[in-house]
Amino acid sequence: MVAPNIARIAVGKRSIGFAPLLQEAARGLHRARICYAKGLNDKGGDMAPELLRGVIHPWHHDHFGHMNVRHYAPFFDDACYHMWTRLGLAYRDMLAEHGVHTVTAQACTRFVAELQAGDLIVITGVVTKIGTKSCTFLFEMRHADTGALHATYEVVEVFFDPATRGSTAMPDTVRRKLETALV
């Protein structure tokens, strides 16, 4: 049973029921499975580029004795920066070379299994979608020793023009590099 205080989730100025969120999460997990079925192995990493390794420390724990949800985001966010470099588009050079950079417009974390102090993690990622002004990455966080899946993270990166402070079209040179990595 869902606790009464979380049965309805506020989104902007409207409130939506909890059930649609669960349905969307299930659809997202289905998309993730399809993506990985297209060519990534069951442990991630052999075909998807390894982006980041980390260790879970006691300060990542909450009162339940496992890594708190707030600590997943920094690991995945750091992996996102590494993703650009693995694509041959070093984030530090993007503004100088292309006149734009990206900002995160949406991020969805799916928690699969808990992590505890001493666990070693590996994050891999792939490009799953390319739009006119955005691209979508899908990351997996796995246990470095066992290969067990602990979390997935789907992030939409929007191309941003700092001069206008708004979204802008993806440069063609960036698009071509993203297309070579699309799964």
Side-chain angles (χ1 to χ4, degrees):
M1 181 173 157
V2 176
N5 61 336
I6 62 168
R8 300 201 64 76
I9 307 294
V11 177
K13 292 184 178 180
R14 61 192 165 98
S15 177
I16 61 174
F18 192 67
L21 294 176
L22 294 176
Q23 291 168 350
E24 178 57 30
R27 282 193 296 274
L29 190 54
H30 179 69
R31 285 193 307 268
R33 287 184 184 132
I34 289 170
C35 168
Y36 278 90
K38 285 184 172 181
L40 302 180
N41 71 16
D42 64 343
K43 291 190 178 183
D46 281 348
M47 296 180 77
E50 181 180 310
L51 303 169
L52 187 78
R53 285 183 176 261
V55 61
I56 308 309
H57 294 281
W59 62 82
H60 291 126
H61 278 207
D62 58 20
H63 58 288
F64 298 118
H66 57 228
M67 187 162 85
N68 187 272
V69 298
R70 75 178 76 193
H71 296 294
Y72 286 79
F75 284 116
F76 282 122
D77 191 52
D78 288 351
C80 195
Y81 283 102
H82 286 281
M83 182 70 155
W84 289 108
T85 295
R86 291 297 298 246
L87 292 167
L89 296 161
Y91 198 82
R92 66 178 181 154
D93 301 330
M94 196 172 299
L95 186 59
E97 292 180 14
H98 305 288
V100 298
H101 61 83
T102 60
V103 295
T104 299
Q106 180 178 339
C108 179
T109 306
R110 292 175 190 87
F111 304 98
V112 178
E114 66 181 353
L115 286 162
Q116 297 177 334
D119 286 340
L120 303 176
I121 58 166
V122 176
I123 297 178
T124 58
V126 293
V127 180
T128 60
K129 185 177 177 184
I130 302 169
T132 57
K133 297 181 178 185
S134 67
C135 62
T136 303
F137 299 148
L138 179 63
F139 299 108
E140 283 191 344
M141 178 184 288
R142 291 186 173 269
H143 196 283
D145 296 330
T146 68
L149 181 64
H150 286 275
T152 65
Y153 187 75
E154 188 174 50
V155 62
V156 177
E157 294 280 293
V158 173
F159 287 83
F160 185 81
D161 182 342
T164 65
R165 306 301 296 167
S167 63
T168 189
M170 180 187 310
D172 289 337
T173 53
V174 172
R175 176 179 300 286
R176 284 192 292 278
K177 287 197 178 193
L178 287 169
E179 286 172 345
T180 64
L182 186 64
V183 294

